[in-house]
mmCIF file of all heavy atoms in Angstrom:
data_model
loop_
_atom_site.group_PDB
_atom_site.id
_atom_site.type_symbol
_atom_site.label_atom_id
_atom_site.label_comp_id
_atom_site.label_asym_id
_atom_site.label_seq_id
_atom_site.Cartn_x
_atom_site.Cartn_y
_atom_site.Cartn_z
ATOM 1 N N LEU A 260 1.758 60.626 7.678
ATOM 2 C CA LEU A 260 1.768 59.823 6.451
ATOM 3 C C LEU A 260 0.785 60.382 5.425
ATOM 4 O O LEU A 260 1.075 60.437 4.229
ATOM 5 C CB LEU A 260 1.446 58.362 6.763
ATOM 6 C CG LEU A 260 2.520 57.610 7.565
ATOM 7 C CD1 LEU A 260 2.029 56.230 7.962
ATOM 8 C CD2 LEU A 260 3.827 57.500 6.769
ATOM 9 N N ALA A 261 -0.363 60.832 5.909
ATOM 10 C CA ALA A 261 -1.368 61.400 4.998
ATOM 11 C C ALA A 261 -0.804 62.644 4.323
ATOM 12 O O ALA A 261 -0.981 62.851 3.119
ATOM 13 C CB ALA A 261 -2.645 61.732 5.769
ATOM 14 N N GLN A 262 -0.090 63.409 5.103
ATOM 15 C CA GLN A 262 0.496 64.650 4.552
ATOM 16 C C GLN A 262 1.544 64.317 3.482
ATOM 17 O O GLN A 262 1.586 64.939 2.417
ATOM 18 C CB GLN A 262 1.119 65.456 5.683
ATOM 19 C CG GLN A 262 1.275 66.926 5.316
ATOM 20 C CD GLN A 262 2.062 67.673 6.373
ATOM 21 O OE1 GLN A 262 2.002 67.331 7.565
ATOM 22 N NE2 GLN A 262 2.793 68.692 5.957
ATOM 23 N N LEU A 263 2.361 63.303 3.786
ATOM 24 C CA LEU A 263 3.372 62.887 2.812
ATOM 25 C C LEU A 263 2.705 62.431 1.509
ATOM 26 O O LEU A 263 3.129 62.775 0.412
ATOM 27 C CB LEU A 263 4.197 61.734 3.383
ATOM 28 C CG LEU A 263 5.316 62.156 4.351
ATOM 29 C CD1 LEU A 263 5.832 60.954 5.126
ATOM 30 C CD2 LEU A 263 6.462 62.816 3.574
ATOM 31 N N ARG A 264 1.643 61.659 1.671
ATOM 32 C CA ARG A 264 0.920 61.182 0.482
ATOM 33 C C ARG A 264 0.444 62.355 -0.365
ATOM 34 O O ARG A 264 0.571 62.349 -1.584
ATOM 35 C CB ARG A 264 -0.287 60.341 0.933
ATOM 36 C CG ARG A 264 -0.036 58.873 0.722
ATOM 37 C CD ARG A 264 -1.151 57.974 1.211
ATOM 38 N NE ARG A 264 -0.550 56.960 2.069
ATOM 39 C CZ ARG A 264 -0.832 56.750 3.333
ATOM 40 N NH1 ARG A 264 -1.763 57.466 3.923
ATOM 41 N NH2 ARG A 264 -0.204 55.828 4.030
ATOM 42 N N GLU A 265 -0.093 63.328 0.307
ATOM 43 C CA GLU A 265 -0.586 64.507 -0.403
ATOM 44 C C GLU A 265 0.540 65.226 -1.147
ATOM 45 O O GLU A 265 0.409 65.581 -2.311
ATOM 46 C CB GLU A 265 -1.223 65.488 0.583
ATOM 47 C CG GLU A 265 -2.737 65.581 0.431
ATOM 48 C CD GLU A 265 -3.328 66.414 1.553
ATOM 49 O OE1 GLU A 265 -2.911 67.589 1.690
ATOM 50 O OE2 GLU A 265 -4.187 65.873 2.289
ATOM 51 N N GLU A 266 1.650 65.399 -0.433
ATOM 52 C CA GLU A 266 2.796 66.080 -1.047
ATOM 53 C C GLU A 266 3.244 65.357 -2.323
ATOM 54 O O GLU A 266 3.478 65.969 -3.352
ATOM 55 C CB GLU A 266 3.983 66.130 -0.079
ATOM 56 C CG GLU A 266 3.907 67.273 0.920
ATOM 57 C CD GLU A 266 4.962 67.143 2.021
ATOM 58 O OE1 GLU A 266 6.010 66.504 1.776
ATOM 59 O OE2 GLU A 266 4.714 67.657 3.129
ATOM 60 N N TYR A 267 3.361 64.048 -2.216
ATOM 61 C CA TYR A 267 3.792 63.269 -3.385
ATOM 62 C C TYR A 267 2.776 63.419 -4.513
ATOM 63 O O TYR A 267 3.139 63.620 -5.669
ATOM 64 C CB TYR A 267 3.943 61.786 -3.018
ATOM 65 C CG TYR A 267 5.312 61.428 -2.473
ATOM 66 C CD1 TYR A 267 5.712 61.874 -1.218
ATOM 67 C CD2 TYR A 267 6.194 60.652 -3.208
ATOM 68 C CE1 TYR A 267 6.956 61.547 -0.702
ATOM 69 C CE2 TYR A 267 7.444 60.311 -2.706
ATOM 70 C CZ TYR A 267 7.825 60.763 -1.449
ATOM 71 O OH TYR A 267 9.055 60.431 -0.951
ATOM 72 N N GLU A 268 1.505 63.321 -4.137
ATOM 73 C CA GLU A 268 0.447 63.400 -5.144
ATOM 74 C C GLU A 268 0.483 64.733 -5.876
ATOM 75 O O GLU A 268 0.314 64.792 -7.095
ATOM 76 C CB GLU A 268 -0.927 63.212 -4.492
ATOM 77 C CG GLU A 268 -1.585 61.899 -4.904
ATOM 78 C CD GLU A 268 -2.734 61.532 -3.987
ATOM 79 O OE1 GLU A 268 -3.653 62.366 -3.847
ATOM 80 O OE2 GLU A 268 -2.688 60.420 -3.406
ATOM 81 N N SER A 269 0.732 65.797 -5.125
ATOM 82 C CA SER A 269 0.748 67.118 -5.764
ATOM 83 C C SER A 269 1.890 67.212 -6.784
ATOM 84 O O SER A 269 1.855 68.027 -7.696
ATOM 85 C CB SER A 269 0.847 68.218 -4.708
ATOM 86 O OG SER A 269 2.128 68.170 -4.110
ATOM 87 N N LYS A 270 2.898 66.344 -6.624
ATOM 88 C CA LYS A 270 3.982 66.318 -7.617
ATOM 89 C C LYS A 270 3.722 65.270 -8.697
ATOM 90 O O LYS A 270 4.592 64.977 -9.522
ATOM 91 C CB LYS A 270 5.314 65.979 -6.917
ATOM 92 C CG LYS A 270 5.860 67.110 -6.038
ATOM 93 C CD LYS A 270 7.233 66.749 -5.440
ATOM 94 C CE LYS A 270 7.068 65.776 -4.268
ATOM 95 N NZ LYS A 270 8.313 65.309 -3.665
ATOM 96 N N GLY A 271 2.544 64.658 -8.617
ATOM 97 C CA GLY A 271 2.200 63.620 -9.587
ATOM 98 C C GLY A 271 2.891 62.297 -9.310
ATOM 99 O O GLY A 271 3.061 61.473 -10.204
ATOM 100 N N GLU A 272 3.308 62.083 -8.064
ATOM 101 C CA GLU A 272 3.983 60.830 -7.702
ATOM 102 C C GLU A 272 3.173 60.074 -6.656
ATOM 103 O O GLU A 272 2.293 60.636 -6.019
ATOM 104 C CB GLU A 272 5.377 61.143 -7.130
ATOM 105 C CG GLU A 272 6.350 61.709 -8.152
ATOM 106 C CD GLU A 272 7.611 62.263 -7.483
ATOM 107 O OE1 GLU A 272 7.861 61.944 -6.307
ATOM 108 O OE2 GLU A 272 8.319 63.037 -8.162
ATOM 109 N N THR A 273 3.520 58.802 -6.493
ATOM 110 C CA THR A 273 2.852 58.030 -5.440
ATOM 111 C C THR A 273 3.837 57.811 -4.302
ATOM 112 O O THR A 273 4.992 57.476 -4.538
ATOM 113 C CB THR A 273 2.427 56.632 -5.952
ATOM 114 O OG1 THR A 273 2.129 56.729 -7.331
ATOM 115 C CG2 THR A 273 1.242 56.093 -5.198
ATOM 116 N N PHE A 274 3.338 58.003 -3.110
ATOM 117 C CA PHE A 274 4.199 57.820 -1.946
ATOM 118 C C PHE A 274 4.339 56.337 -1.624
ATOM 119 O O PHE A 274 3.334 55.645 -1.458
ATOM 120 C CB PHE A 274 3.595 58.557 -0.747
ATOM 121 C CG PHE A 274 4.286 58.264 0.547
ATOM 122 C CD1 PHE A 274 5.557 58.777 0.806
ATOM 123 C CD2 PHE A 274 3.684 57.464 1.518
ATOM 124 C CE1 PHE A 274 6.201 58.506 2.007
ATOM 125 C CE2 PHE A 274 4.335 57.191 2.716
ATOM 126 C CZ PHE A 274 5.597 57.708 2.959
ATOM 127 N N ILE A 275 5.560 55.835 -1.603
ATOM 128 C CA ILE A 275 5.749 54.522 -0.986
ATOM 129 C C ILE A 275 6.855 54.601 0.054
ATOM 130 O O ILE A 275 7.847 55.302 -0.132
ATOM 131 C CB ILE A 275 5.991 53.359 -1.980
ATOM 132 C CG1 ILE A 275 7.207 53.571 -2.872
ATOM 133 C CG2 ILE A 275 4.793 53.064 -2.816
ATOM 134 C CD1 ILE A 275 7.507 52.316 -3.696
ATOM 135 N N TYR A 276 6.622 53.883 1.123
ATOM 136 C CA TYR A 276 7.548 53.894 2.253
ATOM 137 C C TYR A 276 8.541 52.776 2.000
ATOM 138 O O TYR A 276 8.202 51.609 2.109
ATOM 139 C CB TYR A 276 6.725 53.633 3.524
ATOM 140 C CG TYR A 276 7.363 54.060 4.835
ATOM 141 C CD1 TYR A 276 6.673 54.919 5.707
ATOM 142 C CD2 TYR A 276 8.612 53.591 5.225
ATOM 143 C CE1 TYR A 276 7.212 55.305 6.930
ATOM 144 C CE2 TYR A 276 9.164 53.987 6.452
ATOM 145 C CZ TYR A 276 8.470 54.831 7.293
ATOM 146 O OH TYR A 276 9.009 55.209 8.510
ATOM 147 N N ASN A 277 9.759 53.114 1.596
ATOM 148 C CA ASN A 277 10.759 52.059 1.391
ATOM 149 C C ASN A 277 12.188 52.626 1.402
ATOM 150 O O ASN A 277 12.410 53.742 1.886
ATOM 151 C CB ASN A 277 10.451 51.250 0.129
ATOM 152 C CG ASN A 277 10.662 52.027 -1.161
ATOM 153 O OD1 ASN A 277 11.085 53.179 -1.143
ATOM 154 N ND2 ASN A 277 10.367 51.386 -2.274
ATOM 155 N N HIS A 279 14.000 54.231 -0.456
ATOM 156 C CA HIS A 279 14.367 55.534 -1.017
ATOM 157 C C HIS A 279 14.067 56.683 -0.053
ATOM 158 O O HIS A 279 14.583 57.785 -0.222
ATOM 159 C CB HIS A 279 13.715 55.742 -2.386
ATOM 160 C CG HIS A 279 12.329 56.291 -2.338
ATOM 161 N ND1 HIS A 279 11.240 55.522 -2.023
ATOM 162 C CD2 HIS A 279 11.866 57.557 -2.539
ATOM 163 C CE1 HIS A 279 10.162 56.289 -2.049
ATOM 164 N NE2 HIS A 279 10.507 57.513 -2.359
ATOM 165 N N ASN A 280 13.231 56.453 0.946
ATOM 166 C CA ASN A 280 12.942 57.555 1.875
ATOM 167 C C ASN A 280 12.978 57.143 3.352
ATOM 168 O O ASN A 280 12.822 57.967 4.231
ATOM 169 C CB ASN A 280 11.583 58.188 1.539
ATOM 170 C CG ASN A 280 10.447 57.176 1.554
ATOM 171 O OD1 ASN A 280 10.631 56.033 1.994
ATOM 172 N ND2 ASN A 280 9.294 57.570 1.065
ATOM 173 N N ARG A 281 13.173 55.848 3.619
ATOM 174 C CA ARG A 281 13.021 55.427 5.020
ATOM 175 C C ARG A 281 14.081 56.030 5.950
ATOM 176 O O ARG A 281 13.844 56.166 7.143
ATOM 177 C CB ARG A 281 12.988 53.903 5.136
ATOM 178 C CG ARG A 281 14.259 53.171 4.758
ATOM 179 C CD ARG A 281 14.014 51.662 4.726
ATOM 180 N NE ARG A 281 15.119 50.981 4.067
ATOM 181 C CZ ARG A 281 14.982 49.861 3.349
ATOM 182 N NH1 ARG A 281 13.794 49.301 3.186
ATOM 183 N NH2 ARG A 281 16.038 49.313 2.800
ATOM 184 N N ARG A 283 14.842 58.980 6.071
ATOM 185 C CA ARG A 283 14.454 60.362 6.400
ATOM 186 C C ARG A 283 13.166 60.385 7.226
ATOM 187 O O ARG A 283 12.664 61.411 7.572
ATOM 188 C CB ARG A 283 14.219 61.156 5.110
ATOM 189 C CG ARG A 283 15.499 61.609 4.431
ATOM 190 C CD ARG A 283 15.195 62.239 3.092
ATOM 191 N NE ARG A 283 15.198 61.263 2.014
ATOM 192 C CZ ARG A 283 14.285 61.190 1.055
ATOM 193 N NH1 ARG A 283 13.265 62.009 1.050
ATOM 194 N NH2 ARG A 283 14.399 60.278 0.109
ATOM 195 N N LEU A 284 12.599 59.227 7.476
ATOM 196 C CA LEU A 284 11.297 59.188 8.154
ATOM 197 C C LEU A 284 11.459 58.804 9.631
ATOM 198 O O LEU A 284 12.561 58.489 10.085
ATOM 199 C CB LEU A 284 10.356 58.243 7.405
ATOM 200 C CG LEU A 284 10.008 58.756 5.992
ATOM 201 C CD1 LEU A 284 9.351 57.675 5.155
ATOM 202 C CD2 LEU A 284 9.119 59.984 6.076
#
Side-chain angles (χ1 to χ4, degrees):
L260 292 173
Q262 201 188 329
L263 279 165
R264 255 177 231 120
E265 250 172 58
E266 277 170 26
Y267 272 70
E268 248 164 56
S269 69
K270 288 184 283 177
E272 292 168 16
T273 329
F274 171 72
I275 58 172
Y276 200 126
N277 70 2
H279 86 283
N280 57 10
R281 65 188 167 212
R283 282 173 270 135
L284 294 167

